[in-house]
Amino acid sequence: MSDTIARRGYHHGDLRAQLIRDGLAVLAETGTLGFSVAKVAARAGVSSGAPYRHFRDREALLAACAATVAHELADRLAESAEAAGDDPVERLAATAGAYALYVAQHRVGLELIYADDFQGSHYHELHEAGRHFIDVMLPLATAAATADTILGVMELLEAHLALAHGYATFQLQGAFGQNRRSPEDLPRLATTAARALITGRSTAAAARG
């Protein structure tokens, strides 16, 4: 790729955003294991060295992509909760279906957002995005677990997200295909399982109280 092409991107001032968009596309195709700066640069149509003017290394570019994932996921889950109506259980359950579908489509989710490699203070953009994600999900879990303690709410949220991520992973690995499940079934399956999880934990918490 010529430096002229790379400089043209800088002139328009949008190369960083373009690299993140193309980084997300690479992640959707290859997952994190196949992610590289060179692949992103090639997709963006710039020289292999151009991304390093915006990102010091692969991890910095990957962290910027993860921040975008966190924001997109938070928005997607908030929209799914609103569409589910007023019932707190249904609102939280709907986010499992939306989460599973997003991860199946983009091949990334919380495992990227909260990866150990990105815990340093210099990944402040990603940390803020991660907090935004929790700010969306925690009130939904709190409303659905009215009879539970704060610890119980956190455990519910962890179990809920683990369930949703598990359904997406099954889809990506072909497990559902072996059971004649189509990708279109994924949101329904994850939502149904999440509903059972939420109501089961709420019943148990009420009994303890």
Side-chain angles (χ1 to χ4, degrees):
M1 299 294 171
S2 70
D3 288 337
T4 300
I5 297 176
R7 283 195 297 272
R8 188 177 302 136
Y10 292 113
H11 175 71
H12 290 296
D14 63 354
L15 182 57
R16 186 180 190 278
Q18 183 63 49
L19 289 168
I20 293 173
R21 287 193 294 270
D22 287 318
L24 293 173
V26 171
L27 283 169
E29 292 175 355
T30 70
T32 55
L33 292 178
F35 184 90
S36 72
V37 175
K39 287 180 181 178
V40 176
R43 191 179 187 94
V46 299
S47 67
S48 59
Y52 292 103
R53 298 192 186 183
H54 291 275
F55 305 99
R56 67 180 179 278
D57 52 25
R58 174 185 181 273
E59 283 65 37
L61 175 53
L62 197 53
C65 291
T68 298
V69 168
H71 281 295
E72 287 187 354
L73 259 175
D75 292 344
R76 187 79 63 90
L77 302 193
E79 290 169 2
S80 70
E82 287 303 306
D86 296 327
D87 184 87
V89 171
E90 293 302 318
R91 286 168 63 82
L92 181 59
T95 65
Y99 178 94
L101 182 61
Y102 182 95
V103 174
Q105 292 172 336
H106 298 274
R107 299 189 63 169
V108 288
L110 291 180
E111 84 289 353
L112 177 62
I113 297 169
Y114 295 107
D116 288 340
D117 292 343
F118 303 139
Q119 295 310 304
S121 59
H122 50 286
Y123 293 116
H124 57 88
E125 180 184 11
L126 176 54
H127 298 329
E128 287 296 327
R131 281 190 287 271
H132 173 57
F133 178 87
I134 293 300
D135 286 343
V136 168
M137 292 302 299
L138 188 56
L140 292 170
T142 301
T146 53
D148 217 334
T149 64
I150 294 176
L151 177 60
V153 170
M154 294 304 300
E155 290 178 346
L156 169 62
L157 182 55
E158 290 172 352
H160 177 75
L161 292 172
L163 178 152
H165 195 84
Y167 268 82
T169 300
F170 264 37
Q171 179 64 42
L172 288 172
Q173 294 179 345
F176 285 141
Q178 295 175 7
N179 294 324
R180 301 183 184 278
R181 302 288 193 183
S182 70
E184 290 75 21
D185 292 326
L186 183 61
R188 176 182 58 80
L189 292 170
T191 298
T192 299
R195 185 184 298 115
L197 169 71
I198 298 162
T199 55
R201 288 184 63 93
S202 294
T203 300
R208 290 196 302 269

